[in-house]
Amino acid sequence: MSAAARARALADVGRLDQAEDEVRSGLVDTPHDAELLGLLAGLRRLRGDVTRALEYADAAVAAAPGQSVVHIERAECLLVLSRWDEALAAARESVRLAPSRPEPHRVLARCLTVRKDFGTAREAAGRAITLAPHSVPDLMTLAEVERHAGRRDAARQATARALAEDPADTESRWMMALLDAETMRVRDAMRGLRQLAADHPDRYGAPALTWPIRGLLAGLRRGLLAGVPLVAVLASIGTWWGPALLLSRGAAVVMALVTAGLAVRVLVPAGRLPWLCLGLLPARTRRAVAAGLIAASWSVPVLSWYALTPRWSTLALAAGLTVALLAAGATEQKA
């Protein structure tokens, strides 16, 4: 068995360190082997060392510019580095070199997706599926394209096809849970996440299982950031035009009701599990989530109080709570 074959076998079972050792051992004898350089690039990318991965991918392209697979790996590295124009060029070169293979069309679809060229991305993903109708990665690429394009029903159909091919596929199961979450099918999403966490606790643990709480806070941040300034603007206009003050109070009522209603709709069907998993998050993340929950929960009575007795001090308190919620969200993302 060649060094490349041994490395692939080790990588397939998650033994990336040993796979990299095999590749490096092979490169001692053949330092310009494009296959080994491409494998090393992929392994370094999977381990987060994307800058070095791109160096190895560039070396693989220099060693074998006529091989489509090395251009695919270079495109993958460039995608992670957000160098989208270069990634697209590399993907197109891989398609030119191997138009009858599905892999180049798959990476081309992903490059087009990040550029929001969803129609062309859909065509590329469709071409990959035409070439490999039962390929789960190609079906999931189409699902990603459709999800980013806002066509969640189409994304669900593609994901269902992938699950029909391989019911145990992790990425397909994650995508279905994600689509359930985005369409507010909270119970279904939690059921899928519980199963994923049971099968892959290292990958889908507490951060994934706390999504109802953290996702709710993210939605409230966006809503309050847009709504509180609107209430303030209407209140300012209300100082010289009376009806605007009524609109300001009405907007505050709507925001309070929407905030409370969204919380009930998400947290009640999610059950106790997200709250139990909060304790498993890192301390800094726990504190940020707790601060966000406090700010969000207080925003409902404060907005309601403003609607009953409109005062600038109450509105200032609502603005302060919004700032606190945003600050907690920023801290959570950095944690």
Side-chain angles (χ1 to χ4, degrees), residues 185-277:
R185 301 179 182 181
V186 179
R187 285 192 177 87
D188 291 340
M190 287 303 298
R191 187 181 304 112
L193 288 174
R194 281 197 299 270
Q195 294 169 353
L196 276 171
D199 294 340
H200 306 279
D202 294 337
R203 185 173 179 184
Y204 301 102
L209 291 171
T210 55
W211 78 262
I213 300 170
R214 301 170 73 182
L216 172 65
L217 290 176
L220 295 181
R221 284 195 293 269
R222 292 191 294 269
L224 290 173
L225 182 60
V228 171
L230 174 63
V231 173
V233 168
L234 291 172
S236 298
I237 297 173
T239 59
W240 53 270
W241 186 54
L245 182 58
L246 292 175
L247 290 174
S248 174
R249 297 169 68 179
V253 169
V254 170
M255 287 181 58
L257 291 175
V258 168
T259 300
L262 184 62
V264 170
R265 186 178 179 188
V266 172
L267 297 180
V268 170
R272 297 174 55 198
L273 184 59
W275 299 101
L276 295 174
C277 291

Side-chain angles (χ1 to χ4, degrees), residues 14 46 76 81 95 100 113 123 186 194 225 230 246 248 270 279 284 288 292 300 306 320:
L46 290 174
E76 295 283 5
L81 293 170
V95 171
S100 60
T113 299
E123 292 176 3
V186 179
R194 281 197 299 270
L225 182 60
L230 174 63
L246 292 175
S248 174
R284 185 176 180 183
V300 174
Y306 172 80

Side-chain angles (χ1 to χ4, degrees), residues 46-79:
L46 290 174
R47 300 180 68 184
D49 186 6
V50 187
T51 301
R52 292 297 303 276
L54 180 59
E55 293 176 3
Y56 293 125
D58 287 339
V61 170
Q67 290 185 15
S68 174
V69 65
V70 296
H71 294 278
I72 291 176
E73 183 53 48
R74 185 168 184 271
E76 295 283 5
C77 293
L78 290 166
L79 271 177

Side-chain angles (χ1 to χ4, degrees), residues 21-315:
D21 289 341
E22 286 288 346
V23 171
R24 291 188 182 278
S25 296
L27 286 171
V28 171
D29 297 326
T30 54
H32 301 294
D33 187 303
E35 183 181 16
L36 290 174
L37 288 168
L39 281 173
L40 184 55
L43 291 168
R44 294 312 306 171
R45 173 172 55 83
L46 290 174
R47 300 180 68 184
D49 186 6
V50 187
T51 301
R52 292 297 303 276
L54 180 59
E55 293 176 3
Y56 293 125
D58 287 339
V61 170
Q67 290 185 15
S68 174
V69 65
V70 296
H71 294 278
I72 291 176
E73 183 53 48
R74 185 168 184 271
E76 295 283 5
C77 293
L78 290 166
L79 271 177
V80 177
L81 293 170
S82 299
R83 292 164 59 176
W84 296 338
D85 290 343
E86 295 172 81
L88 180 60
R92 283 175 169 159
E93 178 64 10
S94 71
V95 171
R96 186 188 69 82
L97 291 169
S100 60
R101 296 290 304 167
E103 296 87 352
H105 298 281
R106 185 195 311 159
V107 74
L108 176 60
R110 295 178 57 233
C111 291
L112 291 165
T113 299
V114 298
R115 293 168 60 90
K116 300 187 186 304
D117 187 357
F118 299 122
T120 312
R122 189 177 297 113
E123 292 176 3
R127 177 61 178 164
I129 293 171
T130 299
L131 293 168
H134 304 290
S135 167
V136 170
D138 294 329
L139 288 165
M140 289 310 302
T141 298
L142 178 59
E144 283 285 357
V145 172
E146 299 292 18
R147 174 176 170 263
H148 285 289
R151 291 160 47 99
R152 291 191 178 94
D153 288 342
R156 185 179 293 275
Q157 291 173 7
T159 306
R161 289 177 60 187
L163 285 170
E165 296 292 340
D166 183 3
D169 181 64
T170 303
E171 297 302 325
S172 304
R173 294 163 65 193
W174 168 254
M175 173 64 80
M176 192 62 80
L178 188 61
L179 291 169
D180 284 335
E182 290 178 346
T183 53
M184 299 298 288
R185 301 179 182 181
V186 179
R187 285 192 177 87
D188 291 340
M190 287 303 298
R191 187 181 304 112
L193 288 174
R194 281 197 299 270
Q195 294 169 353
L196 276 171
D199 294 340
H200 306 279
D202 294 337
R203 185 173 179 184
Y204 301 102
L209 291 171
T210 55
W211 78 262
I213 300 170
R214 301 170 73 182
L216 172 65
L217 290 176
L220 295 181
R221 284 195 293 269
R222 292 191 294 269
L224 290 173
L225 182 60
V228 171
L230 174 63
V231 173
V233 168
L234 291 172
S236 298
I237 297 173
T239 59
W240 53 270
W241 186 54
L245 182 58
L246 292 175
L247 290 174
S248 174
R249 297 169 68 179
V253 169
V254 170
M255 287 181 58
L257 291 175
V258 168
T259 300
L262 184 62
V264 170
R265 186 178 179 188
V266 172
L267 297 180
V268 170
R272 297 174 55 198
L273 184 59
W275 299 101
L276 295 174
C277 291
L278 275 182
L280 303 176
L281 295 175
R284 185 176 180 183
T285 305
R286 288 200 309 271
R287 289 193 294 269
V289 172
L293 287 169
I294 292 170
S297 61
W298 272 102
S299 66
V300 174
V302 168
L303 288 167
S304 301
W305 185 248
Y306 172 80
L308 292 172
T309 57
R311 294 189 178 92
W312 281 106
S313 58
T314 309
L315 190 54

